[in-house]
Every structure is written in C-alpha cells, then in structure tokens.
Coordinates of all heavy atoms in Angstrom, one line a residue:
M6 N 24.7 15.3 4.0 CA 24.4 14.3 5.1 C 23.1 13.6 4.7 O 22.1 14.2 4.3 CB 24.2 14.9 6.4 CG 24.8 14.1 7.5 SD 24.5 14.8 9.2 CE 22.9 14.2 9.6
S7 N 23.2 12.2 4.8 CA 22.0 11.5 4.3 C 21.1 11.1 5.6 O 21.6 11.1 6.7 CB 22.4 10.2 3.6 OG 23.2 9.4 4.4
E8 N 19.9 10.8 5.3 CA 19.0 10.5 6.3 C 19.3 9.1 6.9 O 19.7 8.2 6.2 CB 17.6 10.3 5.7 CG 16.6 11.3 6.3 CD 15.2 11.0 5.6 OE1 15.1 11.2 4.4 OE2 14.3 10.6 6.4
I9 N 19.1 8.9 8.2 CA 19.5 7.7 8.9 C 18.2 6.9 9.2 O 17.2 7.5 9.7 CB 20.2 7.9 10.2 CG1 21.5 8.7 9.9 CG2 20.5 6.6 10.9 CD1 22.6 8.0 9.1
C10 N 18.2 5.6 8.9 CA 17.0 4.8 9.2 C 16.9 4.6 10.7 O 17.9 4.3 11.4 CB 17.1 3.4 8.5 SG 15.9 2.3 9.0
S11 N 15.7 4.8 11.3 CA 15.5 4.7 12.7 C 15.5 3.3 13.2 O 15.6 3.0 14.4 CB 14.3 5.5 13.1 OG 13.2 4.9 12.5
T12 N 15.3 2.3 12.2 CA 15.2 0.9 12.6 C 16.6 0.3 12.7 O 17.0 -0.4 13.7 CB 14.4 0.1 11.6 OG1 13.1 0.8 11.5 CG2 14.1 -1.3 12.1
C13 N 17.4 0.5 11.6 CA 18.7 -0.2 11.6 C 19.9 0.7 11.8 O 21.0 0.2 12.0 CB 18.8 -1.0 10.3 SG 18.9 0.1 8.8
G14 N 19.7 2.0 11.7 CA 20.8 3.0 12.0 C 21.7 3.2 10.8 O 22.6 3.9 10.9
L15 N 21.3 2.6 9.6 CA 22.1 2.8 8.4 C 21.6 4.0 7.6 O 20.4 4.3 7.8 CB 22.1 1.5 7.5 CG 22.8 0.3 8.0 CD1 22.5 -0.9 7.1 CD2 24.3 0.5 8.0
P16 N 22.4 4.6 6.8 CA 21.9 5.6 5.9 C 20.8 5.0 5.0 O 20.9 3.9 4.7 CB 23.1 6.0 5.1 CG 24.3 5.6 5.8 CD 23.9 4.4 6.6
K17 N 19.8 5.8 4.7 CA 18.6 5.4 4.0 C 19.0 4.6 2.7 O 18.3 3.7 2.3 CB 17.7 6.5 3.7 CG 16.8 6.9 4.9 CD 15.5 6.1 5.0 CE 14.8 6.1 6.3 NZ 13.9 7.2 6.5
E18 N 20.0 5.1 2.0 CA 20.4 4.4 0.7 C 20.9 3.0 0.9 O 21.0 2.2 0.0 CB 21.3 5.3 -0.2 CG 22.6 5.6 0.4 CD 22.6 7.0 1.1 OE1 21.6 7.4 1.6 OE2 23.7 7.6 1.2
L19 N 21.4 2.7 2.1 CA 22.0 1.3 2.4 C 20.9 0.5 3.1 O 21.1 -0.8 3.2 CB 23.2 1.4 3.3 CG 24.4 2.1 2.6 CD1 25.6 2.2 3.6 CD2 24.9 1.4 1.4
C20 N 19.9 1.1 3.7 CA 19.0 0.4 4.5 C 18.0 -0.5 3.7 O 17.6 -0.1 2.6 CB 18.1 1.5 5.2 SG 16.5 0.9 5.8
V21 N 17.8 -1.7 4.1 CA 16.9 -2.6 3.4 C 15.6 -2.9 4.2 O 14.9 -3.8 3.9 CB 17.6 -3.9 2.9 CG1 18.6 -3.6 1.9 CG2 18.2 -4.6 4.1
C22 N 15.5 -2.2 5.3 CA 14.3 -2.5 6.2 C 13.0 -2.5 5.4 O 12.2 -3.4 5.6 CB 14.2 -1.5 7.3 SG 15.6 -1.6 8.5
E23 N 12.8 -1.5 4.6 CA 11.5 -1.4 4.0 C 11.4 -2.5 2.9 O 10.3 -3.0 2.7 CB 11.2 0.0 3.4 CG 9.8 0.1 3.0 CD 9.3 1.6 2.7 OE1 9.2 2.3 3.7 OE2 9.1 1.9 1.6
T24 N 12.5 -2.8 2.3 CA 12.5 -3.9 1.3 C 12.1 -5.2 1.9 O 11.3 -6.0 1.4 CB 13.9 -4.0 0.6 OG1 14.3 -2.7 0.2 CG2 13.9 -5.0 -0.5
I25 N 12.7 -5.5 3.1 CA 12.4 -6.7 3.8 C 11.0 -6.7 4.3 O 10.2 -7.6 4.1 CB 13.4 -6.9 5.0 CG1 14.8 -7.1 4.5 CG2 12.9 -8.0 5.9 CD1 15.9 -7.1 5.5
A26 N 10.6 -5.5 4.8 CA 9.2 -5.4 5.3 C 8.2 -5.6 4.2 O 7.1 -6.3 4.5 CB 9.0 -4.0 5.9
K27 N 8.5 -5.2 3.0 CA 7.5 -5.3 1.9 C 7.3 -6.8 1.6 O 6.3 -7.1 0.9 CB 8.1 -4.6 0.7 CG 7.7 -3.1 0.8 CD 8.3 -2.4 -0.5 CE 7.8 -0.9 -0.4 NZ 8.4 -0.1 -1.5
E28 N 8.3 -7.7 1.9 CA 8.1 -9.1 1.6 C 7.4 -9.8 2.7 O 7.2 -11.0 2.6 CB 9.5 -9.7 1.3 CG 10.0 -9.1 0.0 CD 11.5 -9.5 -0.3 OE1 12.1 -10.1 0.6 OE2 12.0 -9.2 -1.4
S29 N 7.2 -9.2 3.8 CA 6.6 -9.9 5.0 C 5.3 -9.3 5.5 O 4.9 -9.5 6.6 CB 7.6 -9.9 6.1 OG 7.9 -8.6 6.5
Q30 N 4.6 -8.6 4.6 CA 3.3 -8.1 4.9 C 2.2 -9.1 4.7 O 2.5 -10.1 4.0 CB 3.0 -6.8 4.1 CG 4.0 -5.7 4.2 CD 4.1 -5.1 5.7 OE1 3.1 -4.7 6.2 NE2 5.3 -5.1 6.2
K31 N 1.0 -8.9 5.2 CA -0.1 -9.8 4.9 C -1.2 -8.8 4.4 O -2.0 -8.3 5.2 CB -0.6 -10.5 6.1 CG 0.2 -11.8 6.3 CD -0.4 -12.6 7.5 CE -1.6 -13.4 7.2 NZ -1.3 -14.7 6.6
I32 N -1.2 -8.6 3.1 CA -2.1 -7.6 2.5 C -3.3 -8.2 2.0 O -3.3 -9.3 1.4 CB -1.3 -6.9 1.4 CG1 0.0 -6.2 1.9 CG2 -2.2 -5.8 0.7 CD1 0.9 -5.7 0.8
T33 N -4.4 -7.6 2.3 CA -5.7 -8.0 1.8 C -6.3 -6.8 1.0 O -6.4 -5.7 1.6 CB -6.7 -8.5 2.9 OG1 -6.1 -9.5 3.6 CG2 -8.0 -9.0 2.2
A34 N -6.7 -7.0 -0.2 CA -7.4 -6.0 -1.0 C -8.8 -6.5 -1.3 O -9.0 -7.7 -1.7 CB -6.6 -5.7 -2.3
A35 N -9.7 -5.6 -1.1 CA -11.1 -6.1 -1.4 C -11.9 -4.9 -1.9 O -11.6 -3.7 -1.7 CB -11.8 -6.6 -0.1
L36 N -13.0 -5.2 -2.6 CA -13.9 -4.2 -3.1 C -15.0 -3.9 -2.1 O -15.6 -4.9 -1.6 CB -14.5 -4.7 -4.5 CG -15.3 -3.6 -5.2 CD1 -14.5 -2.5 -5.7 CD2 -16.0 -4.3 -6.4
E37 N -15.2 -2.7 -1.8 CA -16.3 -2.3 -0.9 C -17.2 -1.3 -1.6 O -16.8 -0.4 -2.3 CB -15.8 -1.6 0.4 CG -15.3 -2.6 1.4 CD -14.8 -1.9 2.7 OE1 -15.2 -0.8 2.9 OE2 -14.0 -2.6 3.4
K38 N -18.5 -1.5 -1.4 CA -19.5 -0.6 -1.9 C -19.9 0.4 -0.9 O -20.2 0.0 0.3 CB -20.7 -1.3 -2.4 CG -20.4 -2.1 -3.8 CD -21.1 -1.3 -4.9 CE -20.5 -1.8 -6.3 NZ -21.0 -3.2 -6.6
R39 N -19.9 1.7 -1.2 CA -20.3 2.7 -0.2 C -21.6 3.3 -0.6 O -22.3 2.8 -1.5 CB -19.2 3.8 -0.2 CG -17.9 3.3 0.3 CD -17.9 3.1 1.8 NE -16.8 2.2 2.2 CZ -15.6 2.7 2.4 NH1 -15.3 3.9 2.2 NH2 -14.6 1.9 2.7
K40 N -22.0 4.3 0.1 CA -23.2 5.0 -0.2 C -23.3 5.4 -1.7 O -22.3 5.7 -2.3 CB -23.5 6.2 0.7 CG -22.4 7.2 0.7 CD -22.6 8.3 1.7 CE -21.4 9.2 1.8 NZ -21.6 10.3 2.8
F41 N -24.5 5.3 -2.2 CA -24.8 5.6 -3.6 C -24.1 4.5 -4.5 O -23.9 4.8 -5.7 CB -24.4 7.0 -4.0 CG -24.8 8.1 -3.1 CD1 -23.9 8.9 -2.5 CD2 -26.2 8.2 -2.8 CE1 -24.3 9.9 -1.6 CE2 -26.6 9.2 -2.0 CZ -25.7 10.0 -1.4
G42 N -23.7 3.4 -3.9 CA -23.2 2.3 -4.7 C -21.8 2.6 -5.3 O -21.3 1.9 -6.2
K43 N -21.1 3.6 -4.7 CA -19.7 3.9 -5.2 C -18.8 2.8 -4.7 O -18.7 2.5 -3.6 CB -19.3 5.2 -4.6 CG -19.6 6.4 -5.4 CD -18.8 7.6 -4.9 CE -19.0 8.8 -5.7 NZ -18.3 10.0 -5.2
P44 N -18.0 2.3 -5.7 CA -17.0 1.2 -5.3 C -15.7 1.8 -4.8 O -15.3 2.9 -5.3 CB -16.8 0.5 -6.6 CG -17.0 1.5 -7.7 CD -18.0 2.5 -7.1
Y45 N -15.2 1.2 -3.8 CA -13.9 1.6 -3.3 C -13.0 0.3 -3.2 O -13.5 -0.8 -2.8 CB -14.0 2.1 -1.8 CG -14.3 3.6 -1.7 CD1 -15.6 4.0 -1.9 CD2 -13.3 4.5 -1.5 CE1 -16.0 5.3 -1.8 CE2 -13.6 5.8 -1.4 CZ -15.0 6.3 -1.6 OH -15.3 7.6 -1.5
T46 N -11.7 0.4 -3.6 CA -10.8 -0.7 -3.4 C -10.1 -0.4 -2.1 O -9.4 0.6 -1.9 CB -9.8 -0.7 -4.6 OG1 -10.6 -0.8 -5.8 CG2 -8.9 -1.9 -4.4
V47 N -10.3 -1.3 -1.1 CA -9.7 -1.1 0.2 C -8.6 -2.1 0.4 O -8.7 -3.3 0.2 CB -10.8 -1.3 1.3 CG1 -10.2 -1.1 2.7 CG2 -11.9 -0.3 1.1
I48 N -7.4 -1.6 0.9 CA -6.2 -2.4 1.1 C -5.9 -2.3 2.6 O -5.7 -1.2 3.1 CB -5.0 -1.9 0.3 CG1 -5.4 -1.9 -1.2 CG2 -3.8 -2.7 0.5 CD1 -4.5 -1.0 -2.1
V49 N -5.9 -3.5 3.2 CA -5.6 -3.5 4.7 C -4.4 -4.5 4.9 O -4.1 -5.3 4.0 CB -6.8 -4.0 5.5 CG1 -7.9 -2.9 5.5 CG2 -7.3 -5.3 5.1
G50 N -3.9 -4.5 6.1 CA -2.8 -5.4 6.5 C -1.4 -4.9 6.3 O -0.5 -5.6 6.6
I51 N -1.3 -3.7 5.9 CA 0.1 -3.1 5.8 C 0.5 -2.5 7.1 O -0.2 -1.7 7.7 CB 0.1 -2.1 4.7 CG1 -0.2 -2.7 3.3 CG2 1.5 -1.3 4.6 CD1 -0.4 -1.8 2.2
D52 N 1.7 -2.9 7.6 CA 2.2 -2.4 8.9 C 2.7 -1.0 8.7 O 3.8 -0.8 8.1 CB 3.3 -3.4 9.4 CG 3.7 -3.0 10.8 OD1 3.4 -1.9 11.3 OD2 4.2 -3.9 11.5
E53 N 2.0 -0.1 9.3 CA 2.4 1.4 9.2 C 3.7 1.7 9.8 O 4.4 2.7 9.5 CB 1.3 2.2 10.0 CG 0.2 2.7 9.1 CD -0.7 3.6 9.9 OE1 -1.3 3.2 10.8 OE2 -0.7 4.8 9.6
K54 N 4.2 0.8 10.8 CA 5.5 1.1 11.4 C 6.6 0.7 10.4 O 7.7 1.3 10.5 CB 5.6 0.3 12.7 CG 4.7 0.7 13.8 CD 5.1 0.0 15.1 CE 3.9 -0.5 15.8 NZ 3.0 -1.4 15.1
E55 N 6.3 -0.1 9.5 CA 7.4 -0.6 8.6 C 7.3 0.1 7.2 O 8.2 0.2 6.5 CB 7.3 -2.1 8.4 CG 7.5 -2.9 9.7 CD 7.4 -4.4 9.5 OE1 6.5 -4.8 8.8 OE2 8.2 -5.1 10.2
I56 N 6.1 0.4 6.8 CA 5.8 0.9 5.5 C 5.2 2.3 5.6 O 4.3 2.5 6.4 CB 4.9 0.0 4.7 CG1 5.3 -1.5 4.7 CG2 4.6 0.5 3.3 CD1 6.4 -1.8 3.8
D57 N 5.7 3.2 4.7 CA 5.1 4.5 4.7 C 3.8 4.4 3.8 O 3.8 4.5 2.6 CB 6.1 5.5 4.0 CG 5.6 6.9 4.0 OD1 4.4 7.1 4.2 OD2 6.4 7.8 3.7
I58 N 2.7 4.3 4.5 CA 1.4 4.0 3.7 C 0.9 5.2 3.0 O 0.2 5.1 2.0 CB 0.3 3.3 4.5 CG1 -0.4 4.2 5.5 CG2 0.7 2.0 5.1 CD1 -1.8 3.7 5.9
K59 N 1.2 6.4 3.5 CA 0.8 7.6 2.8 C 1.5 7.7 1.5 O 0.9 8.1 0.5 CB 1.2 8.9 3.7 CG 0.3 9.0 5.0 CD -0.3 10.3 5.0 CE -1.6 10.3 5.9 NZ -1.4 9.8 7.2
D60 N 2.8 7.4 1.5 CA 3.6 7.4 0.3 C 3.1 6.3 -0.7 O 2.9 6.5 -1.9 CB 5.1 7.2 0.6 CG 5.9 7.3 -0.6 OD1 5.9 8.3 -1.3 OD2 6.7 6.3 -0.9
L61 N 2.8 5.1 -0.1 CA 2.2 4.0 -0.9 C 0.9 4.4 -1.6 O 0.7 4.2 -2.8 CB 2.1 2.8 -0.1 CG 1.5 1.6 -0.7 CD1 2.5 1.1 -1.8 CD2 1.3 0.4 0.3
A62 N 0.0 5.0 -0.8 CA -1.3 5.5 -1.3 C -1.1 6.5 -2.4 O -1.8 6.4 -3.4 CB -2.1 6.1 -0.2
R63 N -0.2 7.4 -2.2 CA 0.1 8.4 -3.3 C 0.5 7.7 -4.6 O 0.0 8.1 -5.7 CB 1.2 9.3 -2.8 CG 1.4 10.6 -3.7 CD 2.5 11.5 -3.1 NE 3.7 10.8 -2.9 CZ 4.6 10.4 -3.9 NH1 4.3 10.7 -5.1 NH2 5.7 9.7 -3.6
K64 N 1.4 6.7 -4.5 CA 1.8 6.0 -5.7 C 0.7 5.2 -6.4 O 0.6 5.2 -7.6 CB 3.0 5.1 -5.4 CG 4.3 5.8 -5.1 CD 5.4 4.9 -4.6 CE 6.6 5.7 -4.3 NZ 7.5 5.0 -3.4
L65 N -0.1 4.6 -5.5 CA -1.3 3.8 -6.1 C -2.3 4.8 -6.8 O -2.8 4.5 -7.8 CB -1.9 3.0 -5.0 CG -1.1 1.8 -4.5 CD1 -1.8 1.2 -3.2 CD2 -1.0 0.7 -5.6
K66 N -2.5 5.9 -6.1 CA -3.4 6.9 -6.7 C -2.9 7.4 -8.1 O -3.7 7.6 -9.0 CB -3.7 8.1 -5.8 CG -4.5 7.7 -4.6 CD -5.0 8.9 -3.8 CE -3.9 9.5 -2.9 NZ -4.4 10.6 -2.1
E67 N -1.6 7.6 -8.1 CA -1.0 8.0 -9.4 C -1.2 6.9 -10.5 O -1.6 7.2 -11.6 CB 0.5 8.2 -9.2 CG 1.0 9.6 -9.4 CD 2.4 9.8 -8.8 OE1 3.3 9.0 -9.2 OE2 2.6 10.7 -8.0
K68 N -0.9 5.7 -10.1 CA -1.0 4.6 -11.0 C -2.4 4.4 -11.6 O -2.6 4.2 -12.7 CB -0.7 3.2 -10.3 CG 0.8 2.9 -10.5 CD 1.0 1.5 -9.8 CE 2.5 1.2 -9.7 NZ 3.2 1.1 -11.0
F69 N -3.4 4.5 -10.7 CA -4.8 4.3 -11.1 C -5.5 5.6 -11.5 O -6.7 5.6 -11.8 CB -5.6 3.6 -10.0 CG -5.0 2.2 -9.6 CD1 -4.9 1.8 -8.3 CD2 -4.7 1.3 -10.6 CE1 -4.4 0.6 -7.9 CE2 -4.2 0.1 -10.3 CZ -4.1 -0.3 -8.9
A70 N -4.8 6.7 -11.3 CA -5.4 8.0 -11.6 C -6.7 8.2 -10.9 O -7.8 8.5 -11.5 CB -5.5 8.3 -13.1
C71 N -6.7 7.9 -9.6 CA -8.0 8.0 -8.8 C -7.7 8.8 -7.5 O -6.6 9.1 -7.2 CB -8.5 6.6 -8.5 SG -7.4 5.7 -7.4
G72 N -8.8 9.0 -6.8 CA -8.6 9.6 -5.5 C -8.5 8.5 -4.4 O -8.7 7.4 -4.7
G73 N -8.2 9.0 -3.2 CA -8.1 8.0 -2.1 C -7.5 8.5 -0.9 O -7.1 9.7 -0.9
T74 N -7.5 7.7 0.2 CA -7.0 8.1 1.5 C -6.2 7.0 2.1 O -6.4 5.8 1.7 CB -8.1 8.5 2.5 OG1 -9.0 7.4 2.6 CG2 -8.9 9.7 2.0
A75 N -5.4 7.4 3.0 CA -4.6 6.4 3.8 C -4.7 6.8 5.2 O -4.3 7.9 5.6 CB -3.2 6.3 3.3
K76 N -5.2 5.9 6.1 CA -5.2 6.2 7.5 C -5.4 4.9 8.3 O -6.1 3.9 7.8 CB -6.2 7.3 7.9 CG -7.6 7.0 7.7 CD -8.5 8.0 8.3 CE -9.9 7.7 8.0 NZ -10.9 8.7 8.5
D77 N -4.9 4.9 9.5 CA -5.1 3.7 10.4 C -4.7 2.4 9.7 O -5.3 1.4 9.9 CB -6.5 3.6 10.9 CG -7.0 4.9 11.6 OD1 -6.1 5.6 12.2 OD2 -8.2 5.2 11.5
G78 N -3.6 2.4 8.9 CA -3.1 1.2 8.3 C -4.0 0.7 7.2 O -3.9 -0.4 6.7
K79 N -4.9 1.6 6.7 CA -5.8 1.2 5.6 C -5.7 2.2 4.5 O -5.7 3.4 4.7 CB -7.2 1.2 6.3 CG -8.3 0.7 5.5 CD -9.5 0.7 6.4 CE -10.8 0.3 5.7 NZ -12.0 0.3 6.6
I80 N -5.7 1.7 3.3 CA -5.7 2.5 2.1 C -7.0 2.3 1.4 O -7.4 1.2 1.1 CB -4.5 2.2 1.1 CG1 -3.2 2.4 1.8 CG2 -4.6 3.0 -0.2 CD1 -2.0 2.0 1.0
E81 N -7.7 3.4 1.1 CA -8.9 3.4 0.3 C -8.8 4.1 -1.0 O -8.4 5.3 -1.0 CB -10.0 4.0 1.1 CG -10.3 3.3 2.4 CD -11.6 3.9 3.2 OE1 -12.0 5.0 2.8 OE2 -12.0 3.2 4.1
L82 N -9.0 3.4 -2.1 CA -8.9 4.0 -3.4 C -10.3 4.1 -4.0 O -11.0 3.1 -4.0 CB -8.0 3.2 -4.3 CG -6.5 3.0 -3.8 CD1 -5.8 1.9 -4.6 CD2 -5.8 4.3 -3.8
Q83 N -10.6 5.2 -4.6 CA -11.9 5.3 -5.3 C -11.9 4.5 -6.5 O -10.9 4.5 -7.3 CB -12.2 6.8 -5.6 CG -12.5 7.6 -4.3 CD -12.5 9.1 -4.6 OE1 -12.4 9.5 -5.8 NE2 -12.6 9.9 -3.5
G84 N -13.0 3.8 -6.7 CA -13.1 3.0 -7.9 C -12.8 1.5 -7.7 O -12.2 1.1 -6.6
N85 N -13.0 0.7 -8.7 CA -12.8 -0.7 -8.6 C -11.4 -1.0 -9.3 O -11.3 -1.0 -10.5 CB -13.9 -1.5 -9.3 CG -13.7 -3.0 -9.2 OD1 -12.6 -3.5 -8.8 ND2 -14.7 -3.7 -9.7
H86 N -10.4 -1.3 -8.5 CA -9.1 -1.6 -9.1 C -8.6 -3.0 -8.6 O -7.4 -3.3 -8.7 CB -8.1 -0.6 -8.6 CG -8.5 0.8 -8.8 ND1 -8.6 1.4 -10.1 CD2 -8.9 1.8 -8.0 CE1 -9.1 2.6 -10.0 NE2 -9.3 2.9 -8.7
V87 N -9.6 -3.8 -8.2 CA -9.1 -5.1 -7.6 C -8.4 -6.0 -8.6 O -7.5 -6.8 -8.3 CB -10.3 -5.9 -7.0 CG1 -10.7 -5.3 -5.7 CG2 -11.5 -6.1 -7.9
T88 N -8.7 -5.9 -9.9 CA -8.1 -6.7 -10.9 C -6.6 -6.3 -11.1 O -5.8 -7.1 -11.6 CB -8.8 -6.8 -12.2 OG1 -8.9 -5.5 -12.7 CG2 -10.2 -7.4 -12.1
K89 N -6.3 -5.0 -10.8 CA -5.0 -4.5 -11.1 C -4.1 -4.3 -9.9 O -3.0 -4.0 -10.0 CB -5.1 -3.2 -11.9 CG -5.7 -3.3 -13.2 CD -6.1 -2.0 -13.8 CE -7.4 -1.4 -13.2 NZ -7.8 -0.1 -13.7
V90 N -4.8 -4.4 -8.7 CA -4.1 -3.9 -7.5 C -2.9 -4.8 -7.1 O -1.9 -4.4 -6.7 CB -5.1 -3.8 -6.3 CG1 -5.5 -5.1 -5.8 CG2 -4.5 -2.9 -5.2
R91 N -3.0 -6.1 -7.4 CA -1.9 -7.0 -7.1 C -0.6 -6.6 -7.9 O 0.4 -6.5 -7.4 CB -2.3 -8.5 -7.3 CG -1.1 -9.5 -7.0 CD -1.4 -10.8 -7.6 NE -2.6 -11.4 -7.1 CZ -2.7 -12.2 -6.0 NH1 -1.6 -12.4 -5.3 NH2 -3.8 -12.7 -5.6
Q92 N -0.9 -6.5 -9.2 CA 0.2 -6.2 -10.1 C 0.9 -4.8 -9.7 O 2.1 -4.6 -9.7 CB -0.3 -6.1 -11.5 CG 0.8 -5.9 -12.6 CD 2.0 -6.8 -12.5 OE1 1.8 -8.0 -12.3 NE2 3.2 -6.3 -12.5
A93 N 0.0 -3.9 -9.3 CA 0.5 -2.6 -8.9 C 1.4 -2.7 -7.6 O 2.4 -2.1 -7.6 CB -0.7 -1.6 -8.7
L94 N 0.9 -3.4 -6.7 CA 1.7 -3.6 -5.4 C 3.0 -4.3 -5.7 O 4.0 -4.0 -5.1 CB 0.8 -4.4 -4.4 CG -0.3 -3.5 -3.8 CD1 -1.3 -4.4 -3.0 CD2 0.2 -2.4 -2.9
V95 N 2.9 -5.3 -6.5 CA 4.2 -6.1 -6.9 C 5.2 -5.1 -7.5 O 6.4 -5.2 -7.2 CB 3.9 -7.3 -7.8 CG1 5.1 -7.9 -8.4 CG2 3.1 -8.4 -7.0
S96 N 4.7 -4.3 -8.4 CA 5.6 -3.4 -9.1 C 6.2 -2.3 -8.1 O 7.2 -1.7 -8.4 CB 4.9 -2.7 -10.3 OG 4.0 -1.7 -9.8
L97 N 5.6 -2.2 -6.9 CA 6.1 -1.3 -5.9 C 7.0 -2.0 -4.9 O 7.4 -1.5 -3.9 CB 4.9 -0.6 -5.2 CG 4.2 0.4 -6.1 CD1 2.9 0.9 -5.4 CD2 5.0 1.6 -6.4
G98 N 7.2 -3.3 -5.2 CA 8.2 -4.0 -4.3 C 7.6 -5.1 -3.4 O 8.3 -5.7 -2.6
F99 N 6.3 -5.2 -3.4 CA 5.6 -6.2 -2.5 C 5.7 -7.6 -3.1 O 5.6 -7.7 -4.4 CB 4.2 -5.8 -2.2 CG 4.1 -4.6 -1.3 CD1 4.0 -3.3 -1.9 CD2 4.1 -4.7 0.1 CE1 4.0 -2.2 -1.1 CE2 4.1 -3.5 0.9 CZ 4.0 -2.3 0.3
A100 N 5.8 -8.6 -2.3 CA 5.9 -10.0 -2.8 C 4.5 -10.4 -3.1 O 3.5 -10.3 -2.4 CB 6.5 -10.9 -1.8
P101 N 4.3 -11.1 -4.3 CA 2.9 -11.5 -4.8 C 2.2 -12.4 -3.8 O 1.0 -12.3 -3.6 CB 3.2 -12.2 -6.1 CG 4.6 -12.0 -6.5 CD 5.3 -11.4 -5.3
E102 N 3.0 -13.3 -3.1 CA 2.4 -14.2 -2.2 C 1.8 -13.5 -0.9 O 1.1 -14.2 -0.1 CB 3.3 -15.4 -1.8 CG 4.6 -15.0 -1.1 CD 5.7 -14.7 -2.1 OE1 5.5 -14.3 -3.3 OE2 6.9 -14.7 -1.6
T103 N 2.2 -12.3 -0.6 CA 1.7 -11.6 0.6 C 0.4 -10.9 0.3 O -0.1 -10.2 1.2 CB 2.8 -10.6 1.1 OG1 2.9 -9.5 0.1 CG2 4.1 -11.2 1.3
I104 N 0.0 -10.9 -1.0 CA -1.2 -10.1 -1.4 C -2.4 -11.0 -1.6 O -2.3 -11.8 -2.5 CB -0.9 -9.2 -2.6 CG1 0.4 -8.4 -2.4 CG2 -2.1 -8.3 -2.9 CD1 1.0 -7.9 -3.6
D105 N -3.4 -10.8 -0.9 CA -4.6 -11.6 -1.0 C -5.7 -10.7 -1.6 O -6.1 -9.7 -1.0 CB -5.0 -12.2 0.3 CG -6.2 -13.2 0.2 OD1 -6.4 -13.7 -0.9 OD2 -6.8 -13.4 1.3
V106 N -6.2 -11.0 -2.8 CA -7.2 -10.1 -3.4 C -8.5 -10.9 -3.3 O -8.7 -12.0 -3.8 CB -6.9 -9.8 -4.8 CG1 -8.0 -8.9 -5.5 CG2 -5.6 -9.0 -4.9
K107 N -9.5 -10.2 -2.7 CA -10.8 -10.9 -2.5 C -11.7 -10.7 -3.7 O -11.7 -9.6 -4.3 CB -11.5 -10.2 -1.3 CG -10.8 -10.4 0.0 CD -11.2 -11.7 0.7 CE -10.4 -11.8 2.1 NZ -10.0 -13.1 2.4
Ligands
ZN223 ZN1 16.8 0.4 8.0

C-alpha cells in the first residue's frame, strides 16, 4: 500500500502537489554573520505546509557538506554558500525565478 497525499488524496507517486509548490515559493537566501564572525547561509520563504523543509535542509547539507538546521520555515546552513545555493535549489526542483539571492 502506498502513502496517500493529504492535500490531493492521490498516492504519493502520482501526486504533484510538492512539484507545483516548488514552483510557487518565494525563496530568499542571504548571508548572515553570527557571533565570532561565523557566516551562515539563511534560506527563508519556503512554505512548510507545502514543502518538507527538514528533508530539504538535509539534502542541502549533503550537497554542501556542512551543518545546519531547519525550523520555523527557515533553513540555516553553516558557511557561505550564497553563490551555489540557487543552483542547488534548482537541482532540487525549485524554479530559478522563485529564488532571490541577496
Ligand atoms: Zn498531492
């Protein structure tokens, strides 16, 4: 038995909710400096109801081989990845025009 999407009621393999959702986000990625001048790449604007941000954060951490957290609709990645973050998000299915890199 396959998992059923709670949004459209279709089995997960037929469901396109997340695919559609990925094209309609308004993502902003920016570099933030924390204590001791440590850089963090912070990604905001992803709708947690539509996108599994924990899973997304895990994939980004894998790609950049860095640490990070995901909570309250915000992904924080250790290190400066602003030059690569757009490409990484696009490769995960997000539309380039929905990603604003500061
Ligand atoms: Zn669905």
Side-chain angles (χ1 to χ4, degrees):
M6 217 183 88
S7 60
E8 239 185 300
I9 302 293
C10 170
S11 59
T12 308
C13 65
L15 287 171
K17 280 276 163 87
E18 62 265 28
L19 296 176
C20 158
V21 291
C22 294
E23 196 164 284
T24 308
I25 294 168
K27 279 179 173 174
E28 290 169 356
S29 61
Q30 303 297 306
K31 273 184 83 83
I32 301 170
T33 305
L36 186 67
E37 279 183 21
K38 284 258 166 69
R39 295 288 162 77
K40 54 184 175 185
F41 311 121
K43 268 194 176 174
Y45 276 80
T46 305
V47 179
I48 302 165
V49 295
I51 295 170
D52 189 339
E53 269 186 292
K54 292 189 223 57
E55 297 179 321
I56 308 282
D57 184 348
I58 71 159
K59 291 233 155 59
D60 184 57
L61 180 62
R63 190 179 53 77
K64 287 174 181 159
L65 289 170
K66 286 192 284 183
E67 242 166 54
K68 267 184 193 295
F69 298 138
C71 68
T74 55
K76 61 173 182 181
D77 306 327
K79 188 172 174 182
I80 297 173
E81 297 187 347
L82 301 168
Q83 289 170 8
N85 181 353
H86 309 290
V87 286
T88 57
K89 291 169 288 181
V90 75
R91 181 195 300 271
Q92 185 52 47
L94 287 167
V95 169
S96 74
L97 292 169
F99 291 90
E102 63 272 19
T103 66
I104 306 160
D105 188 19
V106 178
K107 301 269 181 219

